[in-house]
Each structure stands twice: as structure tokens, then as C-alpha cells.
Amino acid sequence: MSLSDTSFSIQPVQQSRVGDVDWDNLAFGKIFSDHMFLMEYSDGQWQAGEILPFQPIPMHPAMSAIHYGQSIFEGLKAYRNDDNDTVIFRPDMNAKRFIESAERMCMPPIPEDLFIESVRKLVEVDKEWVSTKPGYSLYIRPFIFATDELVGIKPAETYKFMIITSPVGMYYSEPVRVKIEEYYTRAAKGGVGRAKAAGNYGASLYPAKQCQLEGFHQLIWTDAVEHKYIEESGTMNIVFQIDGKLITPSEDSDTILRGITKRSVLELAKSWGVEVEERKVSVEEIIHAARNGTLEDAFGAGTAATIAQIAIIGFRDERLELPPFETRTLSNKIKDHMEDIKLGRIPDVNGWCFRV
Ligand code: PLP
Ligand code: COI
């Protein structure tokens, strides 16, 4: 379906629930806005999209997504800027990644313009849910899942593409503590690590739970072969700073999710003349730098987590403390600058914010 065919039917709610939201006590992803988007795939094509009141969906017990995990998702955010405009951060990048994930999982992709328009329309309908509170935004969750009613294993012939949105505040309420994982694996070469496939997240729960029992928030994943090279951390990409340079694992392999937040951070830093190295990053190099005090900074980058500065890196029995946050000039500047672009406080020279 091309964008010129795109007109979604809208069934509005009788009464909005936005007035009931307890903005001071929002748990991440627990409250959902008034409407949701739904589009079905059958007979070899995506059918007309609809915006409906947020509601449960009927489900057949043999629905293939439940049994075999043919399910992918995206995550992006809408902000209310200082001019009271609602903007969505880089939805074109999410659209492209959604296509890649769909292809890897044998699912019918959503064309980029259709993805952007469906996200934009849904946010427009629920724009009262985009908070102006500092640090708050509307988290947007597009997803596709297989709906064949069949316990046979093959790519499904029917799917649902849905979008739900959820008002959110900070994902991490304190500086993060992460532990380097040397046994469990998030993704192996040839696997689905680059796709935003639901199963990647289910598989990460057990290892993450082990580190949480030791007082960490998340793991730093390492390569599946030798556990010698750093890949990413939990649901964030990871960036280190040594000698003023930003160093981050390259995304050449198919084991790392190509994050939009990290890409934006690196583009900003480069535009300021900061040296950026995207390459293999060994555990040894980072531990050595942390021990001798040359690791100036480390932070996670992700849509939900935004820029999450790392306080402690756990390695085997060691807990390596990173420098105080006030010394982390570059990541503090990046954090502020990203926020300022989203809130329209400085010119969006790269065209990252899409007006609703
Ligand atoms: N890595 C993983 C595994 C993630 O789930 C996410 C979150 O989306 C990221 C990295 C960061 O990606 P992005 O910045 O596009 O949100
Ligand atoms: C995101 O940052 O969009 C994520 O995917 C994190 C989510 C799993 C909570």
C-alpha cells in the first residue's frame, strides 16, 4: 500500500482517560493511551489500517506468534516541545529497522512511509498524552506478530501490525550498574541479534535476573564465541570514553541491534569534532582502562533509557567504579543537547524531529 492510499478509519473513545493519569508515579510501560492502531495482513497484502479505542485483542490458542515467536517490535518516542508542538524522534530510522527485522523473521514488511504515517496519526489522535513534564515523553510501541491458527511451523500467512503508546518518565531512576557477562549470550553470528525480535528479549531475562540478584541493573553482553569483545548492554548500545575519544563496538556483525540513539550520539559528537572509533572493543581494554583510571566515561544509549551514564562496571568479582558524573563533560553535553533538540530549544539541523 502506498502513502497515497493511506487513510485510516478512526473510532474515537467516548471519554479520554488522560485526566486519570498519576504523572508523578508512572511505572514504565504500564499505562496506555486512549487509542491503538491496527492493520491486518491477509491474502498476501496489508489491509486498511484503523485507529481504535485501546482494548484487548481476541487470540486463538494456536496463534503462531505464541508458539514460535514470529514477532517483532520497535520503540520510539514523541515529545511535546517548548512551542507546544508534538514531535517524533527519527521515525524514519525505526521504519527502516522494522523492515530489516521483518525480513529476517520472514514477515511482511511495512513500507517506510506507511509506518511513519501510522505512527504520526496515532500520536496525533492521542497528543494530549504527550507530557510537558521534564524528562517525560510518549513511548510508542509498533509491533507485528503472526496470527495463523496453526501449530505447524512455517512462516505465517496472516499478521497483525499494531501500535500502542504509553506515557513514560525516566527508565532508570538512578545511575546504572552493569556487569560483564562471560557465559550467557544474547546473540551469535548468523542469529537474530540485529533484529528487534521478541524472542531476543525473552532469552535475555534469565541471565539478566542473575546479575540483578547481585545488585546490578543489567548485563554487558559479550561475543558468543570467546566472550572477549563487548557488544551492548541490556536494551542499550554502549559507548566508552578513553583519552577524550568515544569508543563503541562496531555494528558490522549481525549480533548487535543498530540503535538509533547511539547513531544520533555519534553523529552529534562527530559534528563537534570529537574523535569516534567504531571497532571491536575488548573486555580487556575496558577493564584495564577502568583499573588505571583512564576510562573517563561509559554510558548506555537507547530509546527507553535515553543516555544512561554507568556508575559501576562489574567484572568477575571486581566492581569498578567510574568517575563522578560532574566530570563527564562530554556525555553530559550530549545528553543536554539531545534533549534540547527534541524540545526545540536549539535548531534541529539534521531534521531528526518529525512534527505531528
Ligand atoms: N540494543 C537493544 C538490545 C535494544 O533493545 C535497544 C532499544 O531499543 C537498543 C540497543 C537501543 O536502540 P535504540 O536507540 O534504537 O532504541
Ligand atoms: C527501547 O528502548 O525501545 C527498548 O526496546 C527497551 C524496551 C525493551 C523496554
Side-chain angles (χ1 to χ4, degrees), residues 77-150:
K77 281 178 173 172
Y79 301 83
R80 182 74 64 90
N81 73 18
D82 287 359
D83 297 326
N84 212 25
D85 287 327
T86 305
V87 300
I88 303 170
F89 190 70
R90 306 193 81 174
D92 52 327
M93 300 279 282
N94 296 88
K96 291 185 175 80
R97 191 170 65 189
F98 208 35
I99 292 171
E100 279 185 35
S101 298
E103 283 167 352
R104 178 63 182 82
M105 296 299 288
C106 274
M107 300 165 85
I110 303 288
E112 183 175 330
D113 52 3
L114 178 57
F115 176 95
I116 295 172
E117 199 46 31
S118 36
V119 167
R120 200 199 293 261
K121 211 57 243 161
L122 182 65
V123 172
E124 187 179 26
V125 170
D126 277 338
K127 65 174 186 295
E128 293 313 314
W129 289 79
V130 189
S131 175
T132 50
K133 260 172 92 90
Y136 282 62
S137 58
L138 187 68
Y139 184 76
I140 306 165
R141 170 55 60 86
F143 53 111
I144 308 178
F145 58 100
T147 55
D148 279 9
E149 298 168 359
L150 171 80

Side-chain angles (χ1 to χ4, degrees), residues 73-75 94 97 139 186 196 201 232-237 257-262 301-304:
F73 70 96
E74 266 307 323
N94 296 88
R97 191 170 65 189
Y139 184 76
R186 190 191 89 90
K196 213 159 160 64
Y201 296 79
E232 52 186 314
S233 178
T235 60
M236 307 180 292
N237 295 113
L257 192 86
R258 296 178 160 191
I260 294 153
T261 316
K262 182 176 104 168
T303 297

Side-chain angles (χ1 to χ4, degrees), residues 151 257 280 329:
V151 185
L257 192 86
K280 278 188 153 203
T329 329

